[in-house]
Amino acid sequence: MSASPANRRLLAAVLAAGALVGAAAVPAAAHDDDRRGPRGRHSSVVIGDVQHESGNRSHGNRALNREWVEVKNTGRHSVDLHGFTLTDRDGNRYRFQGLRLDGRSSVKVHTGHGRDTGRDVYQDRRHEVWDERDTATLRDDRGRVVDSVSWGSRGHHDHRGHDGDHRRHDGDRRGHHGDRH
């Protein structure tokens, strides 16, 4: 059975229109995906508390390990942090290796030396990373910003996640306040 020329032209027009609609939809979907975490969903991994050693320029390991950034999984399911990075404004970078963060749990990333566990990991640095005015940025294994927090400019911190969500929390704990971006 063969289709008439009119039916073939109609089918070709429908297929061409579908291809145009599909091509137009791809950039919008790609843009939305830039703001989402793994598997196209918003990431449940965020930066929690930050403790920097403001004014303390002691380079001892104990002082370095009092300086940390908490990374939290706010979701119910575990997340593989392998390849995630945590950076400061100066470009210092810590890359997570083989750490699976359980749902509703956190890990502290300490500046100094120590033995990595499920609750504490160490950057093995000999100098402070986090300044009195700084920004911590968490990126996923594809290099996309998951969360960012800045401190030192005001006596409060507010949160902006990877999707621009903005929440303000008042607080004035030593070494823990800033703006999240």
Side-chain angles (χ1 to χ4, degrees):
M1 183 151 132
S2 83
S4 71
N7 284 342
R8 280 191 219 140
R9 281 193 298 271
L10 180 61
L11 180 60
V14 168
L15 290 174
L20 287 174
V21 169
V26 169
H31 174 72
D32 287 346
D33 191 50
D34 289 343
R35 300 182 330 191
R36 297 179 185 270
R39 294 183 298 266
R41 294 191 309 242
H42 289 281
S43 178
S44 62
V45 180
V46 297
I47 295 173
D49 287 337
V50 174
Q51 177 64 47
H52 63 88
E53 286 298 305
S54 61
N56 182 0
R57 290 292 157 201
S58 169
H59 297 293
N61 194 54
R62 179 176 272 186
L64 290 173
N65 285 333
R66 283 192 302 259
E67 183 177 84
W68 48 261
V69 173
E70 179 187 41
V71 175
K72 296 173 71 172
N73 179 359
T74 61
R76 293 182 309 184
H77 303 288
S78 67
V79 175
D80 185 2
L81 294 181
H82 181 80
F84 277 57
T85 58
L86 183 64
T87 57
D88 73 342
R89 249 194 307 206
D90 295 330
N92 294 303
R93 182 176 69 172
Y94 173 77
R95 182 178 299 274
F96 286 89
Q97 303 291 325
L99 177 67
R100 180 165 289 282
L101 190 57
D102 291 334
R104 306 213 194 299
S105 66
S106 64
V107 62
K108 287 183 181 175
V109 181
H110 299 271
T111 300
H113 295 270
R115 189 175 69 86
D116 291 350
T117 68
R119 293 186 180 263
D120 297 281
V121 294
Y122 298 85
Q123 296 187 50
D124 297 332
R125 296 185 183 272
R126 298 186 195 287
H127 302 283
E128 292 86 0
V129 170
W130 310 108
D131 298 324
E132 285 185 44
R133 297 180 90 117
D134 213 334
T135 301
T137 302
L138 181 66
R139 293 184 187 332
D140 67 13
D141 60 344
R142 294 182 181 178
R144 295 179 296 207
V145 173
V146 173
D147 198 11
S148 182
V149 63
S150 297
W151 60 88
S153 60
R154 291 176 264 198
H156 67 275
H157 75 263
D158 39 82
H159 174 82
R160 277 183 218 194
H162 55 88
D163 59 356
D165 181 30
H166 187 281
R167 297 180 298 276
R168 177 168 287 164
H169 305 280
D170 290 325
D172 196 298
R173 287 180 279 186
R174 180 176 169 263
H176 175 222
H177 50 277
D179 300 318
R180 293 183 190 225
H181 304 282

